Amino acid sequence: MIQVNTREFRANQSRLFDKAMEGEKVMIRRHNQLFVIVPVREEGLQLTPELERRIAEASNAHECL
């Protein structure tokens, strides 16, 4: 298991993503929260109609900025 703070993550993103792809558990601490890098294979990713709608709304809101 690898645990880094956000500064370390930004400085070592490529290496940390590679480690996660190799099966290593990579945790990022930001303030008092932990985040984990989890590789998702494309065949394992399914977008529900609700998620597609939310993505479209976010994209439209971003275009309006």
Side-chain angles (χ1 to χ4, degrees), residues 11-36:
N12 299 288
Q13 285 183 31
S14 293
R15 181 180 66 81
L16 294 169
F17 280 118
D18 289 344
K19 288 291 188 183
M21 290 295 294
E22 294 169 2
E24 184 84 31
K25 187 173 186 178
V26 178
M27 300 173 69
I28 304 160
R29 179 174 295 281
R30 181 174 184 244
H31 304 295
N32 289 325
Q33 290 186 308
L34 283 174
F35 298 85
V36 178

Side-chain angles (χ1 to χ4, degrees), residues 21 39-47:
M21 290 295 294
V40 178
R41 305 215 185 283
E42 195 166 323
E43 62 270 10
L45 180 63
Q46 294 185 0
L47 299 179

